C-alpha cells in the first residue's frame, strides 16, 4: 500500500547519498538525517545486523568527545563534590546505506523527534469470510449512484428505477500497524458533505476494488470506496480510540482498525455485466498513495472468486504486493 507521482520523486531524492566518510560506513541517509532504528522493523530487512552496544560518541552531536554508557561526573568548583552531568541520550545507531535494502514506500526519517509513519494493512480473512452476491433495484441504490459506485450501464438513458443490478459485496477491515496516525489526504475545510449519506467525505478514494480475469489479468469490473467514515472502529488491547466519523476529526490510530461491513453503500463491485467464471478480486487501500506510509507492499488483498451467475465463493485470500 517504486512510488507513484510526487511520492516517487520524494523517494528518488531520499535514496541518494551526498556525503563521503571514507572507510567509515555512512550513518546518514539522504539530506544528512541519521536513520532511526526504531522503525527499522518496517523500513528495512536487516535481520543480520547486530544491535548497537558499547560507547556512544558525542561526535554525532557535534562535540567530538567520547562519553561512556553512564552519565559522566565532574568536580564542583564551589563545593568539591561530584555532580552528574545532564544526561544526553545516545542517538540510535544508524543502518549503513550498504545494508539497507529499501522496500516500496520506505523513507529516511530523522532520528530526533520523528513520530514515524502509518502502515495500513487490510485483513484478507475478513474479505473471504463474508463475500456474497446481492441483486438490488436501482431505486434502492440512489445514494451509491451519486457516488459513481455502479457500472457505466447503470447510467444509460434507458435505465429505470426498477432495473436490477448485481453486486459482488464483501466486507473490509483495515489496520494501522504503523507508528503514526493515518490522516485524510485533504484538509478539513475541503471535506465534502454528502447529504444522502449525511456524512463528510474526507478522502476521494480510500479503497479501490478490481475484478480481474483469472487467465489474462484483464480488468472486467471495478469499484471504489470513499472514506466517508474514517475512524477507529476497534483497537488492540492497550490502544484507545481517538478518531470518530465527525466533521472535525477523522483518522486511524496505530493499533486500531477501520471496519466496513459488506452491507454499506459502495462496499461492492457492480458485476451486472460480468459473465459467470473464475476471477481475481483485488482490494487495495490508499490506492493512489495520497498518504505516505512506511510500507506500500502490504496494501493489497487478492482473492480467488468463483461466480456461477447466481452465487459466488471467495477463497485463497492473501496479502499481495500488487
Amino acid at each position: 500500500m517504486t512510488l507513484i507521482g510526487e511520492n516517487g520523486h520524494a523517494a528518488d531524492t531520499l535514496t541518494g547519498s551526498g556525503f563521503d566518510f571514507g572507510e567509515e560506513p555512512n550513518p546518514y541517509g539522504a539530506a544528512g538525517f541519521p536513520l532511526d532504528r526504531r522503525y527499522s522493523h518496517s523500513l528495512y530487512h536487516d535481520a543480520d545486523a547486530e544491535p548497537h552496544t558499547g560507547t556512544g560518541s558525542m561526535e554525532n552531536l557535534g562535540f567530538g568527545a567520547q562519553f561512556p554508557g553512564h552519565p559522566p561526573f565532574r568536580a564542583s568548583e564551589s563545593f568539591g563534590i561530584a555532580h552528574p552531568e545532564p544526561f544526553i541520550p545516545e542517538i540510535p545507531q544508524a543502518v549503513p546505506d550498504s545494508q539497507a535494502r529499501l522496500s516500496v514506500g520506505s523513507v529516511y526519517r530523522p532520528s530526533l523527534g520523528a513520530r514515524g509513519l502509518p502502515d495500513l494493512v487490510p485483513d484478507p480473512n475478513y474479505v473471504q469470510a463474508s463475500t456474497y452476491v446481492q441483486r438490488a433495484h436501482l431505486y434502492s441504490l440512489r445514494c451509491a449512484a451519486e457516488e459513481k459506485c455502479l457500472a457505466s450501464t447503470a447510467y444509460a438513458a434507458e435505465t429505470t428505477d426498477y432495473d436490477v443490478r448485481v453486486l459482488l459485496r464483501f466486507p473490509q477491515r483495515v489496520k494501522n500497524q504503523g507508528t503514526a496516525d493515518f490522516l485524510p489526504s485533504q484538509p478539513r475545510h475541503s471535506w465534502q458533505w454528502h447529504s444522502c449519506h449525511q456524512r463528510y467525505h474526507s478522502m476521494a478514494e480510500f479503497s479501490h476494488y478490481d475484478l480481474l480475469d483469472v487467465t489474462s489479468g484483464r480488468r472486467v469490473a471495478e469499484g471504489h470506496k470513499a472514506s466517508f467514515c474514517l475512524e477507529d472502529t476497534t483497537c488492540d488491547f492497550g490502544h484507545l480510540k481517538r478518531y470518530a466519523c465527525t466533521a472535525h476529526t477523522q483518522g486511524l490510530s496505530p493499533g486500531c482498525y477501520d471496519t466496513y461491513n459488506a452491507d454499506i453503500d459502495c462496499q461492492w463491485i457492480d458485476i451486472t455485466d460480468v459473465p459467470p467464471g473464475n476471477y481475481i478480486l483485488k482490494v487495495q487501500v490508499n490506492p493512489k498513495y495520497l498518504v505516505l506510509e512506511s510500507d506500500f507492499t502490504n496494501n493489497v488483498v487478492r482473492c480467488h472468486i468463483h461466480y456461477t451467475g447466481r452465487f459466488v465463493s471467495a477463497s485463497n485470500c492473501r496479502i499481495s504486493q500488487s
Side-chain angles (χ1 to χ4, degrees):
M1 278 233 278
T2 310
L3 298 182
I4 297 176
E6 297 179 358
N7 290 341
H9 296 301
D12 291 340
T13 302
L14 294 171
T15 54
S17 175
F19 300 89
D20 183 7
F21 291 90
E23 298 299 325
E24 296 293 329
N26 180 5
Y28 294 88
F33 293 129
L35 308 179
D36 193 341
R37 283 190 69 88
R38 288 179 299 169
Y39 311 115
S40 62
H41 66 283
S42 59
L43 296 185
Y44 300 100
H45 309 286
D46 57 334
D48 297 331
E50 294 293 331
H52 178 68
T53 57
T55 302
S57 173
M58 294 290 287
E59 293 178 357
N60 286 336
L61 299 179
F63 292 96
Q66 299 287 330
F67 66 93
H70 55 79
F73 288 81
R74 62 183 171 91
S76 172
E77 296 179 358
S78 302
F79 303 99
I81 303 173
H83 295 280
E85 292 278 5
F87 177 65
I88 302 176
E90 180 181 347
I91 295 179
Q93 175 68 23
V95 179
D97 288 341
S98 59
Q99 297 181 13
R101 298 197 298 274
L102 294 177
S103 61
V104 177
S106 298
V107 294
Y108 291 106
R109 300 290 293 178
S111 62
L112 296 179
R115 295 183 59 248
L117 289 169
D119 182 17
L120 296 188
V121 183
D123 187 341
N125 296 322
Y126 210 74
V127 177
Q128 181 170 321
S130 302
T131 299
Y132 63 94
V133 167
Q134 179 195 26
R135 288 164 176 80
H137 292 96
L138 270 176
Y139 66 76
S140 66
L141 304 174
R142 289 173 180 170
C143 284
E146 291 181 12
E147 293 189 46
K148 306 299 181 183
C149 293
L150 300 173
S152 58
T153 54
Y155 303 95
E158 62 272 14
T159 58
T160 69
D161 283 348
Y162 295 96
D163 287 346
V164 174
R165 305 305 298 183
V166 182
L167 308 176
L168 174 64
R169 284 186 173 272
F170 46 88
Q172 184 176 0
R173 184 171 71 170
V174 181
K175 180 180 182 180
N176 179 4
Q177 68 174 21
T179 55
D181 299 339
F182 182 92
L183 300 176
S185 58
Q186 300 174 339
R188 189 178 64 189
H189 66 268
S190 64
W191 294 358
Q192 294 184 356
W193 171 254
H194 197 275
S195 58
C196 196
H197 287 133
Q198 293 292 299
R199 284 174 176 168
Y200 279 92
H201 290 217
S202 58
M203 291 182 68
E205 189 177 31
F206 177 67
S207 301
H208 191 90
Y209 315 131
D210 289 319
L211 192 65
L212 311 174
D213 182 83
V214 71
T215 303
S216 64
R218 180 179 59 88
R219 178 191 299 158
V220 298
E222 64 180 323
H224 74 276
K225 179 74 177 69
S227 71
F228 61 76
C229 194
L230 189 60
E231 64 180 357
D232 297 331
T233 308
T234 57
C235 298
D236 288 338
F237 181 79
H239 296 267
L240 299 177
K241 296 181 182 180
R242 295 188 296 112
Y243 293 102
C245 183
T246 69
H248 303 288
T249 173
Q250 291 191 27
L252 186 56
S253 305
C256 295
Y257 304 79
D258 191 9
T259 303
Y260 299 92
N261 293 330
D263 59 352
I264 65 176
D265 271 356
C266 300
Q267 193 59 47
W268 67 56
I269 295 179
D270 185 345
I271 60 171
T272 304
D273 308 308
V274 176
N278 295 315
Y279 300 95
I280 298 294
L281 170 63
K282 177 183 175 182
V283 177
Q284 183 172 9
V285 295
N286 194 14
K288 296 181 179 178
Y289 312 105
L290 297 178
V291 179
L292 187 62
E293 300 183 43
S294 61
D295 190 358
F296 285 117
T297 66
N298 53 11
N299 287 36
V300 175
V301 166
R302 283 177 175 259
C303 300
H304 290 165
I305 296 294
H306 178 64
Y307 176 46
T308 66
R310 293 178 58 86
F311 305 102
V312 68
S313 62
S315 61
N316 197 29
C317 292
R318 64 194 186 280
I319 297 292
S320 174
Q321 290 193 9
S322 62

